[in-house]
Amino acid sequence: MRHTKSESGSITLLSLLFAIVVIVIGIAFNQIVRMYLDEAFTFKSSMENDLQARSLLEKFTYCFSKGKITNDRVLLNCDNFPKSVKLNGELTPLEEEFYISIQDTNGLFSLNSLNVEGFKRLLVNECGYDYAKADNFIQSFLDWQDTDDFKRLNGAERFDYSVENKPLPRNYQIQYKGEIIFIKGMDEKCYNKIKNFITYYPTIGYNPNTSPKEVLKAYLKLDEGEVEKLLKYLKSKPIYSDNELFAVSGRKIVFDEGVYFYPGRYFIVKLYKKIDKRLVKLYSFVINRNSNINFPYEIIFTPQE
């Protein structure tokens, strides 16, 4: 049978169209396969990082539990770990792009044993509050925790929150540090500026050796020059007594019973890894070193810290 030119042209066009469809399907399938392979490799890498991080944390936690706590650091005696790690939240390299930071909560403002005047100064320094606004927040903060519904002069109780359709006061101690966002006078912007300087774990005094600059400045009522002078001194050695602190800064802190110039029971531990030139926080938890006959330490996992 002989084909006309028009029939041959139609067959060629159909063949070309079929080829294009096959190529398009092949490219699409190839892209889907590549996408799933990329996801598989990403998942594999993520699982390997997680396994490596967990293994490293287990070893470090054991090493930390055996370590010797000093005024400003923990001394370690384990293979493949640094000889010491500072307790002021400073990053310390571990292995294979992993970094650890440990913050002694005795160097922070505790929301459950609050230094009121120091915390007011923190709000003034970091959030731009004036002292009247800072004092109003403190009164609302105290109203939030007390067990009655009697409002302080510039505080806030159930009625003030109910008319604004906001969460009502707990009438109990703060249970997580982000809770203060709900308290009248606090907002998310201010909270984000101070969240690294506060904790809801109770403190038993104050340790300037492990305090961030912002806490030192507020707690001790220092100006920029005075706090820089103190930080320079702390880089050379820890402070052991009120007299030594007074000689350096002109301030004293021991007015009540407590543990001063030494870490408390709780330590905020954060593990980071450098991924694509960025530090990524992998884990955050709290270690309680209040050991007894049954256990050497307690680990508290909390996303807030």
Side-chain angles (χ1 to χ4, degrees), residues 248-262:
V248 179
S249 67
R251 305 291 192 274
K252 289 191 173 185
I253 58 174
V254 182
F255 302 108
D256 301 304
E257 291 185 3
V259 177
Y260 295 89
F261 307 101
Y262 196 78

Side-chain angles (χ1 to χ4, degrees), residues 272-289:
Y272 299 83
K273 185 175 184 181
K274 188 174 285 187
I275 300 175
D276 296 330
K277 298 182 180 180
R278 294 185 305 109
L279 271 180
V280 179
K281 184 172 73 173
L282 301 179
Y283 287 99
S284 176
F285 59 93
V286 173
I287 294 180
N288 176 7
R289 283 254 315 199

